[in-house]
Amino acid sequence: MDGKKAYSTFNGVMLVFLIIIALSLAAVIFFTKSSVFSKVDKHGCNNSSGYTFSYAKNKCIKVYEEALQLNRTGSNNPNDLKAFIVFSDDNKSADMFLPSRIYALLNVNDNNTQWHDNSSAYILYNLPEKLSLTKDNQEIYYINR
C-alpha cells in the first residue's frame, strides 16, 4: 500500500469515527432531560439561566428581576452583597435570599415577619419609612420606602 492510499484510508476511518462520536453525543444530549450545559433543579428551574424556584410565588423566577433588593446596614459600598425579598402575590409569605443563606420562607404578619433557624432569629419589620431585616435583634439589611 502506498503512502497516499494509506493516508486516505486513515482519514476516512477517522472521519467515520468522529461522526459516530458526534452522533452519540447528540443522542445523549437530546434524550436526557437536561443538557450538559444547563442545570435544572427539582422544580424544573434552569439555574444556569438565572432561574430559582420561589415558594412564595410558586414558580421559577429571576430573583434580581422580581425581588426587592435590600442594602447592607451601615455600608455605603455599592459592591457589598445584597439581600433580596420576594413577596407572594397576596403578601402573606415571602422568600428571603441572603448572601450567607440562599433561601428561607417567611410567613408575613401585619407589621413584622419572623423566621428562625437553629442559630439565629430573622425578623423583617414592615415600618412606614422602610423595610428592616434584623438578625438576633440587630438590623442587617434595609430598604427605604
Side-chain angles (χ1 to χ4, degrees):
M1 190 186 290
D2 67 9
K4 286 185 180 182
K5 189 172 185 181
Y7 181 75
S8 177
T9 302
F10 176 77
N11 281 344
V13 170
M14 287 305 294
L15 181 61
V16 169
F17 179 70
L18 290 174
I19 289 171
I20 291 171
I21 289 176
L23 289 174
S24 300
L25 182 59
V28 167
I29 292 172
F30 181 76
F31 290 112
T32 58
K33 289 186 177 181
S34 65
S35 78
V36 293
F37 303 111
S38 69
K39 183 173 183 205
V40 177
D41 68 12
K42 66 182 179 181
H43 302 286
C45 301
N46 188 335
N47 302 135
S48 299
S49 296
Y51 287 94
T52 302
F53 187 75
S54 167
Y55 287 92
K57 295 276 190 185
N58 197 29
K59 67 178 185 177
C60 299
I61 64 166
K62 289 188 176 182
V63 173
Y64 54 88
E65 289 179 355
E66 296 200 34
L68 286 175
Q69 179 177 302
L70 305 176
N71 301 307
R72 183 179 294 278
T73 300
S75 174
N76 293 326
N77 185 349
N79 295 324
D80 272 350
L81 296 175
K82 310 290 185 188
F84 297 91
I85 303 289
V86 178
F87 289 96
S88 63
D89 293 336
D90 62 3
N91 288 324
K92 292 185 178 179
S93 64
D95 295 324
M96 176 174 65
F97 299 89
L98 300 176
S100 60
R101 175 176 293 282
I102 295 174
Y103 169 78
L105 179 65
L106 306 167
N107 292 317
V108 178
N109 299 324
D110 288 338
N111 60 350
N112 69 58
T113 301
Q114 297 186 23
W115 180 77
H116 301 269
D117 68 5
N118 294 335
S119 60
S120 302
Y122 294 93
I123 301 175
L124 180 66
Y125 289 99
N126 187 6
L127 304 171
E129 70 279 1
K130 68 180 178 179
L131 282 175
S132 173
L133 180 64
T134 65
K135 176 181 178 187
D136 300 327
N137 297 318
Q138 184 173 8
E139 183 179 78
I140 56 173
Y141 290 98
Y142 74 96
I143 184 170
N144 292 325
R145 295 189 189 260

